[in-house]
Amino acid sequence: MDNKKTIIIVVSIISATIIILALIFAFVFLGSISIFKKNKPEIDTNITTNSNNLVETLPQIERDKGEEYEGKDPFDENILDGAKVIGIYDTYGNKSATIQTTRKTYTVYEGDTLGDSDWVVSEITDNTVTFVSGDKTLTLTKE
């Protein structure tokens, strides 16, 4: 009786091993498991162009040919022109402010320079941020 039980156990182990090896072979070599496949993103080759074969990017300002841009030179611009105080924060007496300019948004503390300009934050109150550059002073009020 013990021999029959031993034979049944051995046959069961061999059968289970054969089944496991067959499944591993099927998944690995036939590529049925997605982790063994290389996932390549699909590239959209359907690109719409205008009549000059130029791709238009958005946002785009519509202008007629020959129309000149009227306005300030962006490289000659005062960084604080059009700037807004978005928020003023007080963390344990250490005040900071978030300033939004036409190009970037900055978080500044008293004594910080705004971007790569000459404007230095001289004071932050509950509602205003004061900047100094040489003999010029500019105060922005929180909106």
Side-chain angles (χ1 to χ4, degrees):
M1 192 74 147
D2 286 331
N3 285 340
K4 286 185 179 182
K5 286 183 182 179
T6 304
I7 292 173
I8 291 173
I9 291 172
V10 169
V11 169
S12 297
I13 292 172
I14 292 173
S15 298
T17 304
I18 291 172
I19 291 171
I20 290 171
L21 290 174
L23 288 173
I24 290 172
F25 176 81
F27 286 129
V28 172
F29 294 106
L30 299 177
S32 297
I33 297 179
S34 64
I35 61 172
F36 294 108
K37 293 180 181 179
K38 291 184 179 179
N39 295 328
K40 295 182 181 178
E42 292 184 25
I43 298 174
D44 183 10
T45 57
N46 187 15
I47 299 174
T48 306
T49 61
N50 61 17
S51 61
N52 297 327
N53 285 332
L54 299 175
V55 176
E56 295 182 16
T57 57
L58 298 175
Q60 181 174 354
I61 299 172
E62 293 183 24
R63 297 186 189 137
D64 293 330
K65 287 188 176 181
E67 181 183 349
E68 293 184 24
Y69 175 74
E70 294 181 21
K72 295 182 180 180
D73 179 357
F75 299 105
D76 193 28
E77 179 180 3
N78 177 353
I79 195 168
L80 289 173
D81 284 347
K84 299 176 185 176
V85 179
I86 302 300
I88 295 177
Y89 315 99
D90 188 346
T91 308
Y92 303 110
N94 191 16
K95 291 190 177 183
S96 64
T98 303
I99 309 296
Q100 182 179 20
T101 68
T102 56
R103 288 187 246 160
K104 291 184 179 180
T105 301
Y106 299 92
T107 299
V108 293
Y109 297 86
E110 288 182 0
D112 284 354
T113 302
L114 188 65
D116 58 357
S117 72
D118 294 331
W119 290 100
V120 177
V121 179
S122 65
E123 183 182 24
I124 300 175
T125 67
D126 291 340
N127 294 317
T128 63
V129 180
T130 302
F131 296 90
V132 175
S133 177
D135 60 348
K136 296 181 272 184
T137 301
L138 178 67
T139 300
L140 297 177
T141 303
K142 181 180 174 185
E143 293 183 348

